Amino acid sequence: MLATSGLNDWHNLAQRLKSHEASNEHIFGMSKWIESEIRLRLNETIDKSVEDQIKKEKVHWKGVLERIIEAVKTLAKNNLAFRGDNEKIYQKNNGIFLSIIEMMAKHDPTMREHLRRISNGEIHYHYLGHNIQNELIQMLANEVKSAMIRRIKDAKYFAVILDCTPDISHMEQMSLVIRCVDVSTTTIQVEEFFLQFLKVEDTTGSGLFEELEEGLVTLQLDIGDCRGQGYDNGSNMKGKRKGVQKRLLDKNPRAFYMPCGCHSLNLVLCDMANSCNKAISFFGVLQRI
């Protein structure tokens, strides 16, 4: 056989090929090859059922993930807590997220099948735990943040608004808000975008400005395009020599400083209340209560 023993009699090659083409082995091999070609063309190979099952599983898991993302978006949009006392389906106090998933399963065949598999122990990776929730929240947050940065870059020029407040662990954090003209909509309007909290360890004018400058670099925003800045009336912010506004003006003379109107109004109201004995007594009683 040519396939096993080969051929070295090249003078009689033509005759040997003719005899091989008439052999049972060659005819059987050709028939199998033609049959395989037809099956491939008609998508009816021996593993067609396996491929169909794989495609069906892909559709199922894609549907599950889409529904989980919609639940995450709904809760995040309404600023609702995700988790309760436990993270198990069909148990009391398991949180709003799992309650929404259970509600979906009552009316949606995809989620019903998914929860059936979980209940019967057929799958170990169900994508309903806190890790996937946090990952999806972070991915959605990054996408929203990227969209806001694109709008700011389209506008080119912007103003920065900063304010500091301690968090629950008494660590000082600074909120970064960018104000610009949104040109992405049909009606041109001024928008303010909260981008992030900046962790602050040094609350001096120098420390706060360094955090601001580093934050703008991280967001890929050019500090030279800043045309305004607004802060509270603290000396570390509005100081004419060492405040944040002065340090930013040294970097960019076109970033004009404007004191925050709400903070100024708050100071006026505080001074008004302190000058009135009845107001002092009233707020003192409220505070003791």
Side-chain angles (χ1 to χ4, degrees):
M1 294 178 61
L2 291 177
T4 56
S5 60
L7 177 68
N8 56 11
D9 186 7
W10 299 104
H11 293 288
N12 299 315
L13 177 61
Q15 183 179 357
R16 186 68 184 88
L17 288 176
K18 288 182 180 180
S19 62
H20 174 72
E21 290 175 355
S23 65
N24 292 332
E25 292 83 1
H26 178 73
I27 295 174
F28 179 77
M30 284 297 297
S31 64
K32 288 296 183 181
W33 181 80
I34 294 173
E35 182 181 357
S36 298
E37 186 181 30
I38 295 173
R39 286 181 176 275
L40 286 171
R41 191 182 306 118
L42 299 177
N43 195 21
E44 294 181 356
T45 56
I46 192 172
D47 58 348
K48 181 178 184 299
S49 60
V50 178
E51 291 181 358
D52 291 342
Q53 184 64 27
I54 293 174
K55 291 180 180 178
K56 185 177 179 181
E57 281 296 300
K58 285 182 179 180
V59 172
H60 168 76
W61 283 104
K62 181 180 179 181
V64 169
L65 187 59
E66 288 175 346
R67 287 155 178 78
I68 291 176
I69 291 175
E70 287 301 322
V72 171
K73 287 170 60 178
T74 300
L75 293 179
K77 181 180 178 180
N78 292 277
N79 198 26
L80 296 174
F82 279 63
R83 296 180 285 278
D85 297 336
N86 62 79
E87 295 185 49
K88 296 182 179 180
I89 59 173
Y90 298 124
Q91 291 194 10
K92 293 183 178 180
N93 302 323
N94 58 1
I96 302 177
F97 175 78
L98 290 181
S99 297
I100 291 180
I101 297 298
E102 293 171 3
M103 181 192 67
M104 288 183 181
K106 292 182 180 180
H107 308 282
D108 182 73
T110 300
M111 291 308 299
R112 187 183 306 120
E113 171 64 15
H114 186 58
L115 295 193
R116 184 196 67 78
R117 293 182 183 184
I118 297 174
S119 300
N120 295 340
E122 298 179 12
I123 55 176
H124 298 286
Y125 300 99
H126 46 71
Y127 300 105
L128 298 180
H130 62 274
N131 289 329
I132 188 65
Q133 296 172 25
N134 294 337
E135 185 176 350
L136 290 174
I137 291 171
Q138 188 60 50
M139 292 173 64
L140 292 171
N142 291 338
E143 187 62 28
V144 172
K145 188 175 181 179
S146 298
M148 291 190 296
I149 293 175
R150 284 196 298 270
R151 292 189 181 185
I152 296 170
K153 289 183 176 180
D154 290 341
K156 186 173 176 60
Y157 301 113
F158 59 88
V160 294
I161 303 175
L162 303 178
D163 194 14
C164 293
T165 184
D167 59 15
I168 193 172
S169 61
H170 304 290
M171 290 294 296
E172 196 75 16
Q173 59 182 3
M174 182 166 63
S175 59
L176 174 59
V177 178
I178 299 294
R179 182 181 176 90
C180 67
V181 178
D182 188 1
V183 297
S184 62
T185 58
T186 304
T187 304
I188 305 300
Q189 54 187 356
V190 177
E191 295 284 357
E192 292 182 358
F193 301 105
F194 166 72
L195 294 180
Q196 65 186 75
F197 284 111
L198 301 175
K199 186 178 179 181
V200 176
E201 296 182 356
D202 182 5
T203 58
T204 64
S206 176
L208 294 176
F209 176 72
E210 289 178 0
E211 289 294 335
L212 169 62
E213 192 173 24
E214 183 178 347
L216 292 178
V217 171
T218 303
L219 298 172
Q220 297 181 348
L221 295 176
D222 187 0
I223 196 171
D225 292 332
C226 182
R227 291 296 182 269
Q229 46 179 328
Y231 320 122
D232 58 22
N233 292 278
S235 58
N236 58 347
M237 287 293 193
K238 73 170 185 177
K240 294 182 179 180
R241 294 182 178 180
K242 297 182 179 181
V244 176
Q245 66 98 7
K246 179 62 170 61
R247 296 179 185 273
L248 182 53
L249 283 173
D250 291 341
K251 282 271 187 177
N252 180 6
R254 297 184 177 181
F256 297 107
Y257 168 66
M258 179 65 66
C260 175
C262 293
H263 283 92
S264 299
L265 179 60
N266 181 64
L267 293 176
V268 171
L269 293 177
C270 288
D271 289 341
M272 290 174 59
N274 288 331
S275 64
C276 178
N277 293 330
K278 292 184 178 180
I280 295 174
S281 176
F282 173 76
F283 288 110
V285 171
L286 286 182
Q287 188 171 6
R288 287 194 297 271
I289 293 176

